[in-house]
Amino acid sequence: MLDLPAEIWTHVFDIAADEDVIFHHGLPTAMAESAWFKDFHGEWALRSPQDALELIQRRSYGTKKARHSRLLTLCAILDSSSAGATTATASLGWWTRRIQLTRFYANTTREATPETLQDALISIVRHCPNLEIFIIDWPMTGPIFGPIADALATYTAKDLRTLHINVPSSALSKVIWALDSLPHVFAAHIELEAEASPNLEEQSSDETPLGAACDIRLRLPNLRQLSLRGHIQQFLEQATGWGLPSLRYLSLDCGHVRVDLPDTLSFLTIHGAPLLFLDLYSVPALPLARLLAECPSLTTLAFNGDWRIVGADDDPGAPPFAHDRLTSVGLHGLAYAFGVGDAAAQALTDSLPAWLVTAASDRTFAALCVRESFPALQRVRVLSRSLLGELDRANGPSAENGGMERWERWWETSRRAGVRLEDCTGSLLGELPQDEPESESEEEEDEWEAPLEPDSERISNIEELQLLLEECRAMDSGRDDNYLHQSAEAMAMFPDVASGSDT
């Protein structure tokens, strides 16, 4: 064991465990960049920001060697630690700041019923009074969420900053009560799954009885980021009357629901003025021009690029489709745009829907590239990872299905407007990952490859960290006795690199 001051060991441990990354209170948005990587079969695939964060967390746990993967075992460890601790700070749970459960399947855990897992999770929360981040990616079906919400309110109310949950829509009242008990929440992602029903239209129109929760007028003074997904109509209706003075980032994802959409316009009329980021997804088009008018401070907007933008011709009272401050726009959808994948196959049998959708997408993209309407716009980003994956497999847009022509037209339109056309990785749309050529004959340029820019070469953040570790190991193998002291001085000289701020 090297004889180093405790401060240096603490700093090295924080870097190795990615503390600055996994303990950030904000949640990834739709505009966060994805990254290419080679999958198990050696094929190029895309890693979402959420997957990257989860991978970093798993690696962090592997570094610390301080947590078991099984929930019930972890519960027993914390119980034992608490019982044997002479002071509160001697307990393992006292130092826990983040709990995240992902990809959990109950049927793989023998003798673990939902009730026993619920009790274990409640016990874990009870032992973690300084908990700041609580994330559960799997659906908490049945009555599980209520007791867990009570535990969060009882033991973590003063410190909890990030809440990420997936619950049935019938638990909406419990969600409202939980938020009422967590006034310091900074970021919240709430996914409400509609109850299973043979008649989907009838189910979508039913409202969940809220009881006394219906009359609560919440004030969440610290909530800066709110992300809602699924059956969210009733939640947004309630939240319209809440006090949300710090709200700056809003994401609303209605999935494939086509009826009973949330009243987004009413919500933004009350809370839209200070928003900086707005992400909207639904299949039916929303009155985007009116929504933008309610959000004068907006700098980033994401919406379904297949929408037909309703203008003054269709709605005489609507303002023009324009905004003075928007710098970044993200486009969901666009499955038909470039003639590849399953959408292209469907268009061969029924071309009318594809024609209507792509015509709307063309008009929307052209409207965004009008400098008089969007003078501050710098980039338009195609957000679909599945579409980018299909483009990679097809080696670019389809000339036969009109995709290549559309890409060329969009590229030229954005170039003339001075707008950067990007994919979901932040690279230029048309810049796909390339394997190392085996011979000079394979170095020919791709026909659809976008012109390169000085900063267009990108690499996965995970790969970047792996390369950095390899370089450190190579340097370490031939270092002299003063190497670690020199490294400590270097970290002090370059704090941005040492803290991993680029990840």
Side-chain angles (χ1 to χ4, degrees):
M1 180 66 70
L2 296 174
D3 186 14
L4 292 175
E7 292 80 4
I8 294 182
W9 278 120
T10 300
H11 190 66
V12 170
F13 181 83
D14 287 344
I15 296 174
D18 302 305
E19 298 284 332
D20 59 321
V21 178
I22 64 174
F23 287 127
H24 193 282
H25 292 153
L27 295 168
T29 69
M31 293 294 285
E33 295 176 1
S34 300
W36 289 106
F37 73 101
K38 285 292 187 73
D39 63 13
F40 180 77
H41 303 287
E43 301 293 332
W44 286 108
L46 283 162
R47 178 182 289 118
S48 71
Q50 292 85 353
D51 289 341
L53 185 61
E54 186 178 321
L55 182 59
I56 291 173
Q57 166 133 337
R58 289 201 301 269
R59 185 180 61 191
S60 176
Y61 285 175
T63 300
K64 297 172 185 176
K65 300 292 185 184
R67 294 290 181 269
H68 289 248
S69 60
R70 295 181 180 178
L71 196 62
L72 299 179
T73 304
L74 175 58
C75 177
I77 291 173
L78 292 179
D79 285 340
S80 176
S81 173
S82 178
T86 56
T87 63
T89 57
S91 168
L92 291 175
W94 176 271
W95 300 99
T96 301
R97 294 165 54 198
R98 178 185 180 103
I99 292 177
Q100 178 170 353
L101 275 70
T102 58
R103 298 176 183 172
F104 176 82
Y105 300 94
N107 60 359
T108 63
T109 307
R110 294 183 179 180
E111 301 179 357
T113 65
E115 290 75 17
T116 59
L117 295 173
Q118 167 192 296
D119 293 341
L121 190 53
I122 291 173
S123 179
I124 291 171
V125 170
R126 177 172 58 85
H127 288 303
C128 304
N130 299 311
L131 190 66
E132 296 181 15
I133 301 171
F134 184 80
I135 298 176
I136 296 188
D137 284 339
W138 48 271
M140 288 185 279
T141 58
I144 292 179
F145 178 68
I148 293 175
D150 291 340
L152 291 173
T154 302
Y155 300 105
T156 71
K158 67 182 180 68
D159 286 311
L160 195 67
R161 297 295 186 271
T162 303
L163 180 68
H164 184 297
I165 55 175
N166 183 326
V167 299
S169 57
S170 60
L172 178 56
S173 61
K174 297 181 178 64
V175 172
I176 295 175
W177 284 116
L179 291 175
D180 187 43
S181 303
L182 301 169
H184 301 295
V185 167
F186 174 92
H189 172 87
I190 300 169
E191 189 160 351
L192 295 166
E193 294 196 351
E195 302 295 324
S197 172
N199 189 335
L200 294 179
E201 292 186 1
E202 178 182 345
Q203 172 58 44
S204 64
S205 63
D206 289 342
E207 289 195 351
T208 301
L210 298 181
C214 184
D215 298 324
I216 297 179
R217 294 295 178 261
L218 294 187
R219 178 171 175 78
L220 300 172
N222 299 298
L223 185 65
R224 187 172 178 85
Q225 179 182 5
L226 176 62
S227 174
L228 303 175
R229 181 183 298 168
H231 197 59
I232 63 177
Q233 177 198 18
Q234 197 173 2
F235 184 102
L236 202 67
E237 178 183 336
Q238 294 294 315
T240 298
W242 296 350
L244 306 172
S246 299
L247 187 62
R248 298 295 182 271
Y249 296 81
L250 177 66
S251 300
L252 305 177
D253 184 349
C254 301
H256 298 292
V257 175
R258 295 176 178 269
V259 296
D260 293 327
L261 296 178
D263 189 353
T264 307
L265 182 58
S266 293
F267 183 88
L268 292 180
T269 300
I270 304 298
H271 302 290
L275 284 184
L276 302 175
F277 176 96
L278 179 63
D279 177 14
L280 303 169
Y281 181 80
S282 70
V283 175
L286 299 179
L288 194 56
R290 289 183 177 272
L291 299 179
L292 282 179
E294 300 294 343
C295 305
S297 303
L298 212 61
T299 60
T300 303
L301 171 71
F303 65 96
N304 189 346
D306 297 327
W307 284 349
R308 177 175 174 268
I309 304 301
V310 176
D313 295 339
D314 304 281
D315 182 1
F321 181 53
H323 200 282
D324 291 337
R325 296 191 178 185
L326 273 184
T327 61
S328 301
V329 169
L331 299 178
H332 297 291
L334 303 178
Y336 289 109
F338 303 112
V340 295
D342 294 338
Q346 295 173 8
L348 293 177
T349 58
D350 188 1
S351 61
L352 181 59
W355 182 83
L356 292 173
V357 169
T358 53
S361 301
D362 285 337
R363 289 193 294 270
T364 297
F365 187 83
L368 288 170
C369 292
V370 175
R371 267 299 171 194
E372 292 76 9
S373 301
F374 297 94
L377 189 63
Q378 299 175 6
R379 66 185 58 81
V380 174
R381 180 173 294 175
V382 177
L383 297 176
S384 173
R385 286 188 296 275
S386 60
L387 173 59
L388 187 56
E390 294 289 357
L391 286 170
D392 180 50
R393 285 185 284 275
N395 199 29
S398 168
E400 295 79 9
N401 298 329
M404 180 63 75
E405 179 185 355
R406 176 164 293 102
W407 175 79
E408 292 174 344
R409 184 169 63 252
W410 285 18
W411 182 264
E412 182 61 22
T413 300
S414 62
R415 185 194 64 79
R416 289 199 305 266
V419 175
R420 177 182 166 96
L421 180 58
E422 300 179 347
D423 61 30
C424 61
T425 71
S427 298
L428 297 171
L429 182 64
E431 191 177 311
L432 295 174
Q434 300 292 328
D435 294 319
E436 291 293 331
E438 296 180 1
S439 63
E440 293 183 1
S441 62
E442 295 183 21
E443 295 183 357
E444 299 179 1
E445 292 186 0
D446 194 302
E447 293 181 357
W448 92 289
E449 186 173 343
L452 294 178
E453 294 184 357
D455 62 344
S456 63
E457 205 170 310
R458 292 174 180 268
I459 188 169
S460 161
N461 55 350
I462 304 299
E463 293 172 349
E464 183 177 349
L465 289 171
Q466 289 174 340
L467 290 173
L468 181 60
L469 287 173
E470 291 174 2
E471 291 175 7
C472 290
R473 293 190 184 101
M475 293 170 60
D476 185 62
S477 63
R479 67 176 174 83
D480 57 29
D481 292 338
N482 295 322
Y483 170 75
L484 283 177
H485 297 288
Q486 295 169 358
S487 298
E489 293 175 1
M491 285 192 291
M493 293 173 60
F494 301 102
D496 290 341
V497 176
S499 65
S501 61
D502 288 339
T503 62

